[in-house]
Amino acid sequence: MAEQRRLVRSGASQTLHSRHLTGHAIDVVPLDPKTGKGRFSRALALEVAAAFYAAGQDCDVPITWGGMWSQFEDTPHFEIPIRGH
Ligand SMILES: [Zn+2]
């Protein structure tokens, strides 16, 4: 929670109710195979999201992708939504 408060203060997160806090969210960034550094390209993020949605369907697990959020686009973010939401 202390880390989440820090992230909200810095603007890196918008909520103190993050699904990260309960272990229901992860952040994923494709790495450049040459440099090992993250590549923050929307096209690559879409490929990752497609893989997550396909895996979610295969495993019958709902997936929410932060790249679909209208108020705060968060392309690295994937979470399992709260049941009923
Ligand atoms: Zn996240």
Side-chain angles (χ1 to χ4, degrees), residues 18 20 25-28 69 74 76-79:
S18 169
H20 286 289
I26 58 172
D27 296 324
V28 178
W69 293 342
D74 188 1
H77 183 93
F78 295 90
E79 69 180 41

Side-chain angles (χ1 to χ4, degrees), residues 30-51:
L31 298 181
D32 185 308
K34 289 181 183 152
T35 66
K37 294 188 173 172
R39 294 183 61 191
F40 292 88
S41 138
R42 183 161 177 79
L44 286 175
L46 276 167
E47 288 186 43
V48 174

